[in-house]
Structures are given as structure tokens and as C-alpha cells.
Amino acid sequence: MMNLPRCFSNMRKKGHNEAKDEGLGSDRGNVLLLLFLYVLQGIPLGLAGSIPMILQNRHVSYKDQATFSLSFWPFSIKLLWAPLVDSLYINKMGRRKSWLVPAQYLIGFFMLLLSSVINDLLGEDSQHTPNVVFITCVFFALNFLAATQDIAVDGWALTILSRNNVGWASTCNSVGQTAGYFMGYVVFLALESKDFCINYLGQKDSLVTLPGFLYFWGIIFCITTTAVWLLKHEKDNLEVTVDDPDFGLVGTYQILGRILKLRPIQDLIIVLLTCKIGFAAADSLTGLKLIESGVPKDRLALLSIPLTPVQVLLPFYISRYTAGPKPLNPFMVGYPLRLLFGFVFAGIVWITPVFKQDDGSYPFYYYCIIVFIYLIHQVFANCMFVGVMAFFARISDSSVGGTYMTLLNTFTNLGGNWPAWIALRYVSELTWKSCSGVVNILSCNNKHNEEACESEGGVCITDIDGYYVESVILVIFGFLWMKWGLKTIKRIQNLPTSAWTVSKRNG
């Protein structure tokens, strides 16, 4: 569950443009098309978000969870191939459809193929452990294709809509991806849960299976992609607007190089790559630790339902405080408060076993406490996110706006992904387990010792949980980071707009 704020933040990466025309007119169909394409994009993202929950129930190691977390990286590194998608295309097919159609077909074929082998890969109904490396490769490929589709749809949105209605593109992105992620994550985990379907829907068994869900959406991808290919035509002139300039492949990479040479950009990139280190344990491990304590994964997924409207609507309220000359002020206010929630989440994980009832379930008021804490946490997370997005919009050179924003968003996403991988990868090394009941076996710190302890009739007991160690260390690091980070943020926020301009002298 703790991955959701990060995942929804990535989905809203382009901000919330409220400038809408009074009427859509002839653009109504185009808006619906964009909305649907973004919904499709969110499906594989949601499915990828549900896999760690499934793996945790299969008792995989946190090192394996770290391995799977790499499957989320394509959206953080898509800048590497975005210029290719923007610059190379088949004229007859269309600049955007040249990439959109193959990407969506491949997503559909991947899902159809995966539906026949996913249970074997996850080790369902068998004794072998999940093939985490292969699963990671498959979902990395799916997210790579979804990221490629995102690049194509983002570019198409600038020309498929009239200039008066182009502001609807960001709304389609936010609402569509959120809806797609919701279906691939929340809806799937709920309907796949036998317990939820029996107790709340009056069914005799779960309504969907992972193979069936993959097969269904694989068919949907293939059918709808064919319809878009045959029925929707791009503008023949492939008009280039101020918001969507075509610099060519080499020119785009040259512009990226010029942007990276700016000293303020270099300082900002360091801030973006380091500011989320303090949140890594809370964001990447808390949900998995709750499942480890016995909280059902479908319940955690359903807890995101009351969070979703808050995540969509709260940025609109916060934006009133980011509209002025100092949009990063909400970021600086929210940062230390969000850091403190690292201790709050650690406390929740620690006391969770106290709420566990005799039948293994948790009372309703426990889930109410969780939702309340997450709602408060989301306020501070959104203060940071909206402030950063507003600052990006303020400093981006309008002559290369799309490339500029893509570069900044890439480092924003990357700054959240690499600390999460570190936290997952090394939490086991920081955990100390001892063997109780067996004299000649002292520790259970590796799989061999754990199996030996259990075979001798002993029980492995966790003496020091690496999650709490990481929570304390990373939160302390976050407060130490503030001494340099907030000072740097204040300095770059006070720079004139000209300091961020890509001029010939920077070439």
C-alpha cells in the first residue's frame, strides 16, 4: 500500500492544468480517446503494483522484492528513448501511431502469453518458489511498453486537441492513469481474493484469477488497438506547435545536453535524487510488513479507495499556495512532517499484532486508524509533489518546454525508485533472527540456518527487525539532509527565470 502515493504521484507528473475551454465541441471524442488510452496505460502499472503483494504471501525474501522493484524503472528512465519516439516514425502511419500501435499490440500479446504461465512463475499450487527474476523481466518489459505508449500519447495529446482545449490533456492523463491503476491493482486484488468475494459479495469463490485477468485485458488491448489504428487518423500535416516542437533526434539530445550544463539544473537534480532517501523505508516496506503481520493484501488494496479522491482533489487546493513566486514553500513545510511519518508508520507496524483477533482477522477500527494516518500522510506528500510540479512549470524554458519537463520528471521519479530499491535490498542484512529451542543453532540469519533450526524443532525469532533500523537511520538522514537541502532549495527558488533558460551561450 505504501507504494501507492509514489505510484499516483508518477501518474500526475504533468501537474493539474485547470485552464479549460468552456466547451469541448468537436474535441469531445478526442478527449474520450485520450482518456481511454491513459486508462489502458494504467492497467499494466496496476498489475505490477499488485505483484509484490502476491509475492509477499509466497514468503519471498526482501532481496527478491528489491529485484522486482526494478520493473517499475522504465517510467523513471524513459528520457533515454523518448527522443527516438518523438523523432522517428512512418509518415503513412502517423507520427504517434507509429509507436502507439506496436506498443499496445505488444502489451496485449505479452498479457495473453503471460496468462498461460503466470501461475507457474508465481509458484501457485506447487512447492517451487516464484521465479522472481523472470517475473521482473516480464513486467519490466510491460512497463517499458507502457512508458513508450505514454510518450506517444503525451505527444499526440498536443496535436489531437485544439489549442483552446489542450489543457484537457493533463486531466485525461491524471484521471485515466489513476482509473487504470485502480482497476489493475485495487479491483483485481479485491475480486481475486476468495475471502473478500465470499464475505462481501456473497460469492462461493473469487470472481477473477490472475491468468483470467491478464487474458481479458490482453484481448481488450488487441481489439482497441486495431480500432484506433484503422478508425482514428492523425493530422496529415503533423502540425508542430510551440508546445510540441520537432527538433529531430540529434537536436533533441543536444538540447538535453545543454539543459544539463546549467548549474541551477545540476543543483536541482542533486536535490531530486536525494530528497526522498528519508522516506524509502516508509514508502517501500510498510505495506509489505503489514502483510507479513497477517493483514490481508486485498484489505490493504481496498484502503486506497478513500485515498483516491483525496489524491486527485487535494492538489487543486494546495495549488493556491504554489501559484506565487515561491512555489517550493509547501515542499519545505511538508518535508519534515512527512519525515516524521516514518516513525508513525514504524509504530503502526509494531503495534499491528496487538489488534490481531483470535481468528486471524483485524477489527474495523484498526483499518480506520490506518486510513486516517494515510490521509494525513497524503497531505504532506501532496504538498511536496504539487510544489515541485509548480516549480517545474515556472522554470521550464518555454522554447523547449516538453523536453525540459520530461527531463525534470525523469529525475523526480528516479529519485524515488533508487532509494526504495536500496531499502528493500538491504533490510534483510539489518535483521537479526535467533533460533529458539535448539542449543547448537544460534542464528536464523540465512535460509540454511533457518531450515536447520526448523528441522530440529526450533523456532526462528526476530530479535532486531531491519525495517525499524532502516526507518530510524533514514529518517535521521532526512533531517540531516534538510540542513543542506532546504538551504539549496531556497537558493535556487530565488534565482531569476533567466538562470534556467537554455540559450546559445549554454550550447
Side-chain angles (χ1 to χ4, degrees), residues 137-416:
C137 293
V138 170
F139 278 91
F140 184 94
L142 274 175
N143 284 335
F144 173 84
L145 293 170
T148 302
Q149 189 253 29
D150 180 48
I151 299 168
V153 176
D154 287 350
W156 200 4
L158 296 174
T159 55
I160 199 175
L161 299 175
S162 63
R163 180 172 294 277
N164 290 334
N165 290 321
V166 74
W168 281 91
S170 61
T171 300
C172 292
N173 181 292
S174 176
V175 175
Q177 282 191 348
T178 300
Y181 189 93
F182 185 85
M183 286 189 287
Y185 179 81
V186 178
V187 174
F188 164 68
L189 286 179
L191 299 184
E192 186 261 351
S193 169
K194 183 176 180 179
D195 177 67
F196 177 82
C197 291
I198 292 175
N199 294 328
Y200 295 94
L201 301 181
Q203 302 297 312
K204 296 181 179 180
D205 203 345
S206 58
L207 291 177
V208 302
T209 62
L210 182 53
F213 197 80
L214 285 165
Y215 188 83
F216 171 79
W217 282 106
I219 295 295
I220 294 297
F221 264 91
C222 292
I223 293 175
T224 56
T225 301
T226 301
V228 172
W229 185 10
L230 298 178
L231 301 178
K232 184 62 180 178
H233 301 285
E234 292 191 49
K235 297 178 181 179
D236 294 334
N237 59 0
L238 296 174
E239 64 178 279
V240 177
T241 67
V242 174
D243 299 314
D244 187 33
D246 185 1
F247 297 103
L249 179 60
V250 176
T252 302
Y253 282 113
Q254 288 177 337
I255 289 171
L256 289 174
R258 287 162 56 187
I259 295 174
L260 290 171
K261 289 180 181 179
L262 297 175
R263 180 54 189 272
I265 284 290
Q266 295 171 1
D267 292 338
L268 179 58
I269 286 174
I270 295 175
V271 169
L272 295 176
L273 289 178
T274 57
C275 67
K276 296 180 182 177
I277 295 176
F279 316 131
D283 288 355
S284 62
L285 284 165
T286 301
L288 299 178
K289 280 295 178 180
L290 291 176
I291 293 176
E292 186 179 289
S293 298
V295 181
K297 66 180 186 300
D298 57 287
R299 300 295 194 279
L300 287 178
L302 289 172
L303 291 183
S304 67
I305 294 178
L307 294 177
T308 300
V310 174
Q311 291 168 328
V312 172
L313 297 176
L314 187 60
F316 288 101
Y317 176 79
I318 298 175
S319 62
R320 68 177 61 185
Y321 300 102
T322 62
K326 297 185 182 299
L328 288 176
N329 283 355
F331 178 100
M332 291 185 283
V333 171
Y335 189 88
L337 297 174
R338 184 179 174 186
L339 273 177
L340 289 174
F341 265 76
F343 293 136
V344 174
F345 286 129
I348 286 295
V349 172
W350 185 70
I351 66 171
T352 287
V354 176
F355 293 94
K356 196 170 186 178
Q357 299 176 333
D358 294 337
D359 60 356
S361 64
Y362 287 85
F364 177 74
Y365 66 86
Y366 168 78
Y367 294 110
C368 291
I369 294 173
I370 296 294
V371 170
F372 176 76
I373 291 174
Y374 273 67
L375 285 173
I376 301 301
H377 171 265
Q378 195 60 40
V379 173
F380 304 135
N382 272 275
C383 284
M384 294 179 57
F385 171 76
V386 177
V388 168
M389 290 297 106
F391 184 66
F392 288 174
R394 175 175 172 264
I395 66 174
S396 293
D397 189 337
S398 60
S399 65
V400 290
T403 302
Y404 215 115
M405 286 291 286
T406 301
L407 174 70
L408 295 175
N409 283 312
T410 294
F411 284 105
T412 300
N413 296 335
L414 190 59

Side-chain angles (χ1 to χ4, degrees), residues 43-62:
I43 296 297
L45 291 173
L47 281 171
S50 70
I51 295 298
M53 304 295 191
I54 297 175
L55 292 176
Q56 193 69 5
N57 278 350
R58 294 289 297 166
H59 306 293
V60 302
S61 68
Y62 284 101

Side-chain angles (χ1 to χ4, degrees), residues 76 83 101 203 233 246 274 384 397 424 429 454-455 460 466 475:
S76 297
V101 170
Q203 302 297 312
H233 301 285
D246 185 1
T274 57
M384 294 179 57
D397 189 337
L424 287 166
E429 274 76 358
E454 293 175 354
S455 66
C460 288
V475 170

Side-chain angles (χ1 to χ4, degrees), residues 59-75:
H59 306 293
V60 302
S61 68
Y62 284 101
K63 289 182 180 179
D64 287 334
Q65 291 283 11
T67 298
F68 184 79
S69 71
L70 297 175
S71 66
F72 295 100
W73 280 52
F75 273 83

Side-chain angles (χ1 to χ4, degrees), residues 125-148:
D125 303 321
S126 66
Q127 296 300 318
H128 71 80
T129 58
N131 190 337
V132 176
V133 173
F134 192 82
I135 295 172
T136 302
C137 293
V138 170
F139 278 91
F140 184 94
L142 274 175
N143 284 335
F144 173 84
L145 293 170
T148 302

